[in-house]
């Protein structure tokens, strides 16, 4: 039995039907896919921005901590410098008022009574070193900006009394006996120049020339002056309770 052939019209119907079914299947497959990847890309970009912001904040925090550390170090250095400067100033003030011993170069002077003088006798007062002689020498040293002066181991400061009771000489209210050794720390060249000037200590120089007293001096490299060990006399000070009197 031979094959039965479809009429051409039936073939056309089958072709159209198959094409329509194919279009339906294609449309259904396309509807199953996501419409776009844009939301995912936007989320990823936001995450990258947040990460970059966090990294930037971490870097800024690290810089801030580093700057704080530098500021603290500078403040500490400044505090130490200020403290050291204050201590240096305090030390200088203590040296000026004799509360610290000082060392340095300067001059050593020795002034003594006449070889034949006797302090228990008032027959030849010009043959004895008196308080005025010591005051003149001390004033000469301080006028030359000397840092410190001492007489027979007694530190001399601005308020130091150098007085005499009869033939007894008192320095800081302590009895001192000849020979009087005066130490001064300062510019030895300057003071030697002044001591070699005939106009300096003229009265003392006359008595030395007539051999009534003895006076020698020389520059020294290493001198040590003791701490001031007397009381501090405060003059012209009164309490507020006495101000009305």
């Amino acid at each position: 039995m031979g094959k039965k052939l479809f009429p051409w019209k039936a073939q056309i119907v089958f072709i159209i039907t198959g094409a329509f079914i194919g279009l339906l299947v294609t449309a259904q497959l396309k509807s199953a896919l996501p419409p776009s990847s844009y939301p995912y890309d936007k989320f990823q970009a936001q995450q990258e921005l947040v990460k970059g912001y966090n990294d930037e904040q971490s870097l800024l925090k690290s810089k801030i901590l580093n700057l704080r550390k530098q500021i603290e170090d500078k403040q500490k250095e400044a505090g130490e410098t200020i403290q050291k400067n204050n201590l240096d100033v305090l030390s200088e003030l203590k040296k000026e008022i004799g509360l610290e011993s000082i060392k340095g170069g300067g001059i050593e002077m020795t002034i003594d009574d006449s070889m034949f003088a006797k302090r228990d006798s008032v027959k030849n007062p010009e043959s004895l070193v008196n308080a005025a002689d010591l005051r003149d020498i001390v004033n000469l040293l301080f006028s030359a900006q000397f840092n410190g002066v001492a007489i027979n181991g007694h530190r001399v400061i601005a308020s130091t009394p150098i007085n005499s009771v009869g033939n007894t000489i008192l320095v800081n209210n302590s009895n001192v006996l000849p020979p009087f050794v005066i130490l001064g720390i300062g510019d030895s060249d300057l003071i030697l120049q002044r001591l070699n000037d005939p106009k300096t200590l003229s009265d003392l120089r006359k008595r030395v020339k007539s051999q009534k007293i003895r006076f020698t001096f020389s520059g020294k490299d290493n001198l040590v002056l003791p701490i001031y060990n007397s009381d501090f006399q405060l003059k012209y000070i009164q309490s507020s309770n006495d101000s009305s009197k």
Side-chain angles (χ1 to χ4, degrees):
M1 185 175 181
K3 293 182 180 179
K4 186 177 181 179
L5 299 175
F6 291 98
W8 62 272
K9 292 183 178 180
Q11 291 179 358
I12 292 173
V13 170
F14 277 116
I15 291 170
I16 294 173
T17 302
F20 180 74
I21 292 172
L23 288 173
L24 289 176
V25 171
T26 303
Q28 187 174 5
L29 289 174
K30 286 184 177 182
S31 64
L33 294 174
S36 173
S37 63
Y38 175 73
Y40 174 77
D41 294 339
K42 184 177 180 180
F43 176 74
Q44 187 176 11
Q46 289 176 345
Q47 280 189 325
E48 290 177 356
L49 286 173
V50 170
K51 183 178 182 301
Y53 175 77
N54 289 334
D55 292 343
E56 185 177 358
Q57 290 298 309
S58 299
L59 180 61
L60 290 174
K61 287 180 179 179
S62 176
K63 288 183 177 180
I64 290 172
L65 290 176
N66 187 34
L67 289 174
R68 283 181 178 174
K69 180 68 168 55
Q70 292 181 22
I71 291 172
E72 290 175 358
D73 292 342
K74 294 297 182 183
Q75 287 178 336
K76 185 177 179 180
E77 290 177 6
E80 291 175 353
T81 302
I82 292 172
Q83 184 178 11
K84 183 179 183 302
N85 290 338
N86 289 337
L87 290 175
D88 290 342
V89 171
L90 178 60
S91 178
E92 289 302 318
L93 290 174
K94 289 172 69 176
K95 288 177 181 178
E96 287 183 12
I97 62 175
L99 295 181
E100 280 191 2
S101 63
I102 57 175
K103 303 177 181 179
I107 193 166
E108 178 180 290
M109 306 179 186
T110 302
I111 183 169
D112 198 0
D113 298 338
S114 171
M115 187 179 300
F116 305 103
K118 294 182 180 180
R119 285 212 159 248
D120 56 357
S121 173
V122 293
K123 292 181 179 180
N124 298 308
E126 290 188 351
S127 299
L128 303 178
V129 177
N130 55 57
D133 296 327
L134 298 181
R135 287 196 298 267
D136 289 343
I137 294 173
V138 168
N139 290 334
L140 178 66
L141 292 173
F142 280 130
S143 69
Q145 305 298 317
F146 265 52
N147 298 322
V149 178
I151 300 175
N152 284 13
H154 294 271
R155 184 75 171 270
V156 176
I157 62 174
S159 61
T160 292
I162 303 176
N163 300 316
S164 61
V165 178
N167 291 332
T168 299
I169 295 180
L170 303 175
V171 176
N172 288 329
N173 298 320
S174 297
N175 183 20
V176 290
L177 298 173
F180 303 100
V181 179
I182 304 171
L183 304 180
I185 291 179
D187 188 346
S188 60
D189 292 335
L190 175 61
I191 199 66
L192 287 173
Q193 181 180 358
R194 293 188 180 182
L195 287 171
N196 289 319
D197 184 352
K199 297 179 181 179
T200 303
L201 303 175
S202 57
D203 180 66
L204 186 148
R205 194 180 295 273
K206 289 178 183 177
R207 290 154 61 206
V208 171
K209 189 175 182 180
S210 61
Q211 298 183 352
K212 292 181 178 179
I213 60 174
R214 293 169 287 176
F215 181 53
T216 59
F217 53 85
S218 61
K220 298 291 182 180
D221 293 329
N222 298 304
L223 296 175
V224 179
L225 301 188
I227 296 174
Y228 178 77
N229 57 5
S230 186
D231 60 339
F232 287 92
Q233 296 183 358
L234 301 178
K235 297 180 180 180
Y236 312 114
I237 295 180
Q238 59 183 5
S239 66
S240 59
N241 294 332
D242 296 333
S243 60
S244 59
K245 294 182 181 180

